[in-house]
Amino acid sequence: MIDIPSDKSISHRSIMFGAIAHGKTTIKNFLRGDDCLSTLKAFQDLGVKIEDDGETITVHGTGFSGLKPAKQAIDVGNSGTTIRLIMGILAGTSFTTELFGDHSIAKRPMNRVMLPINQMGAECTGHDGTEFPPLTVKGTENLKPIHYQMPVASAQVKSAILFAALQAHGKSVVVEKEKTRDHTEDMIRQFGGEITVSGKEISICGPQKLVGQEVIVPGDISSAAFFLTAGLIIPDSKITLNNVGLNPTRTGIIDVIQQMGGKLTIQETGSKANKAGTLSVETSDLKGIEISGEIIPRLIDELPIIALLATQAEGTTIIRDAEELKVKETNRIDAVATELTKMGANIEPTDDGLIIHGKTPLHAAQVTSYGDHRIGMMLQIAALLVKDGTVDLEKAEAISVSYPRFFDDLNKLYQ
């Protein structure tokens, strides 16, 4: 039995909402991984007082208007969530901010956020006229509302627009391509804001004033997915995970496990605002399935570990409509196919997903995470299936981005 790390998405947003709200926000069970600490540091750079006593983080909110120009360019590290969401917040400021990150961030497309934000009146530009970081965001206090049809299913893009819409004068409407994780919408309500959601259409009127709250962050189902998979595919296993977040827009992995025939039980806990539960899995006979369509945004971050799960299922698993995987920390379609093939998996990359033929034994190999935390964790779980030899994982340090104690928890379960 282990307690998985706190939810990364909610941890990021708790700092952001705390900063732009008026008054004090307290955050318990915050994920102190590299990505979320990048968000914390970014808002300190913008003049927000944030205290961390090791148990509770206290954010002394300034409201949107109280943010101050950073003294130098803001470093977002490896965090795509930080750079994309903060663009929406900076859009309504009266100053110009420069944003940059590591080599991975420098390759991630930002037009999907820049275009709607610029339509609202801000000026977002990329490096040398491209859509890639480093970025410059010149805000305006006269943001215009927008009616925006999302060309991609992306919670990050949606959230950036909603942050800008909270500052715009008038009613904004965002229409999603597919329903994506709705933590931003939930937290707008939690912090006293007003937002209307009808199917895939989201309406919000601005400007709005938010008020500081207490946030208790549940466990991250994306982190839980690695140990859920281990429990299903390692012989003679049974694993119980505590305090796993069960927001319905994030639980696609549970649907997939159940469709594949995995033995999974759920005992719900948590609050109405932050649904959570205790999940238990055990070694199971799995079957291949097709994963596509509207479920994809509900498990986009879990697809690398689902691919490993599929290598141990009888028959063929097909993943479609997942082209978003190409613009994560690395091209996860190619990375998953290349690294698992090295270990003996029968897996083919496609333009928008993967075709995995199971069930295949895996063998020792030298593999790499490409600096992507989820690829690294997936390969480390795959290594547990290898009977002879060792799996040498390069760039394992990337795992600390979302799961600083991953190897400690893995050793605890393995023993």
Side-chain angles (χ1 to χ4, degrees):
M1 181 181 290
I2 61 171
D3 295 306
I4 56 156
S6 309
D7 189 284
K8 191 161 166 266
S9 295
I10 296 175
S11 293
H12 277 299
R13 286 163 175 79
S14 65
I15 295 288
M16 294 179 182
F17 275 99
I20 62 177
H22 292 263
K24 186 169 73 174
T25 290
T26 56
I27 307 163
K28 295 179 179 174
N29 205 32
F30 179 80
L31 176 66
R32 289 170 177 81
D34 296 347
D35 274 13
C36 296
L37 292 174
S38 291
T39 292
L40 189 154
K41 176 68 166 56
F43 281 91
Q44 288 177 325
D45 290 348
L46 291 166
V48 180
K49 183 181 177 184
I50 303 175
E51 300 164 318
D52 183 0
D53 65 8
E55 294 271 329
T56 302
I57 288 179
T58 304
V59 184
H60 299 273
T62 64
F64 285 108
S65 61
L67 297 175
K68 294 184 170 57
K71 292 176 181 172
Q72 55 197 21
I74 292 176
D75 182 359
V76 304
N78 184 248
S79 178
T81 301
T82 307
I83 194 168
R84 289 198 173 117
L85 271 61
I86 207 170
M87 287 166 68
I89 292 171
L90 293 171
T93 62
S94 59
F95 49 82
T96 298
T97 307
E98 292 182 23
L99 304 167
F100 73 99
D102 66 7
H103 67 281
S104 167
I105 285 292
K107 297 175 184 174
R108 297 182 74 171
M110 296 294 157
N111 254 350
R112 48 185 57 188
V113 178
M114 290 163 62
L115 291 174
I117 296 299
N118 286 347
Q119 284 178 38
M120 297 176 78
E123 292 180 33
C124 304
T125 53
H127 179 61
D128 286 342
T130 69
E131 64 169 307
F132 300 102
L135 304 177
T136 300
V137 183
K138 183 179 179 182
T140 174
E141 292 178 302
N142 295 307
L143 275 183
K144 298 174 292 192
I146 191 171
H147 190 293
Y148 195 69
Q149 189 95 28
M150 297 267 294
V152 293
S154 168
Q156 291 181 358
V157 178
K158 172 183 68 175
S159 296
I161 298 170
L162 292 178
F163 276 127
L166 283 167
Q167 305 169 77
H169 296 268
K171 180 180 177 180
S172 293
V173 178
V174 179
V175 184
E176 293 199 81
K177 184 177 179 182
E178 295 290 353
K179 203 158 175 54
T180 61
R181 61 185 64 176
D182 61 2
H183 301 302
T184 301
E185 295 95 307
D186 283 349
M187 293 180 83
I188 286 172
R189 297 185 191 98
Q190 182 183 354
F191 280 75
E194 293 185 10
I195 185 167
T196 303
V197 180
S198 178
K200 296 176 184 175
E201 185 172 294
I202 304 162
S203 303
I204 186 166
C205 292
Q208 293 195 33
K209 178 180 176 180
L210 303 177
V211 180
Q213 301 291 318
E214 180 185 52
V215 179
I216 301 173
V217 184
D220 196 324
I221 195 165
S222 295
S223 296
F226 297 95
F227 290 123
L228 292 174
T229 296
L232 291 164
I233 64 177
I234 307 299
D236 305 317
S237 293
K238 187 166 186 179
I239 295 175
T240 298
L241 304 173
N242 293 322
N243 188 38
V244 181
L246 295 177
N247 178 303
T249 62
R250 295 283 301 281
T251 52
I253 178 75
I254 289 175
D255 296 350
V256 164
I257 288 170
Q258 291 171 333
Q259 288 169 28
M260 293 179 85
K263 297 175 184 175
L264 168 73
T265 59
I266 304 169
Q267 182 181 350
E268 290 196 17
T269 58
S271 64
K272 186 177 179 182
N274 290 308
K275 297 181 180 68
T278 299
L279 305 185
S280 299
V281 292
E282 57 186 281
T283 310
S284 303
D285 294 322
L286 305 169
K287 63 179 187 294
I289 61 171
E290 179 168 330
I291 306 167
S292 61
E294 64 182 10
I295 196 174
I296 293 294
R298 295 177 54 226
L299 46 64
I300 192 72
D301 286 336
E302 291 75 70
L303 284 172
I305 194 65
I306 287 172
L308 173 62
L309 190 68
T311 69
Q312 304 307 304
E314 294 291 343
T316 299
T317 296
I318 300 172
I319 299 171
R320 304 187 200 274
D321 304 320
E323 51 276 309
E324 184 73 9
L325 287 177
K326 293 181 177 180
V327 292
K328 291 290 185 177
E329 282 81 341
T330 186
N331 181 331
R332 287 181 177 165
I333 290 175
D334 290 349
V336 167
T338 299
E339 301 310 305
L340 285 179
T341 296
K342 288 180 186 176
M343 295 181 69
N346 186 348
I347 182 168
E348 308 163 38
T350 66
D351 286 342
D352 67 346
L354 296 158
I355 301 171
I356 305 127
H357 304 284
K359 180 178 182 180
T360 54
L362 300 183
H363 57 68
Q366 184 166 352
V367 294
T368 179
S369 76
Y370 300 87
D372 185 324
H373 55 125
R374 299 201 194 280
I375 300 296
M377 286 186 279
M378 179 273 289
L379 292 169
Q380 201 62 46
I381 298 299
L384 300 178
L385 290 167
V386 173
K387 293 187 173 68
D388 298 311
T390 58
V391 174
D392 182 14
L393 174 62
E394 294 180 355
K395 300 186 178 180
E397 66 278 2
I399 289 169
S400 69
V401 159
S402 65
Y403 201 152
R405 63 169 196 269
F406 175 77
F407 291 102
D408 291 338
D409 284 348
L410 186 64
N411 288 333
K412 178 181 171 185
L413 285 172
Y414 195 64
Q415 290 165 6

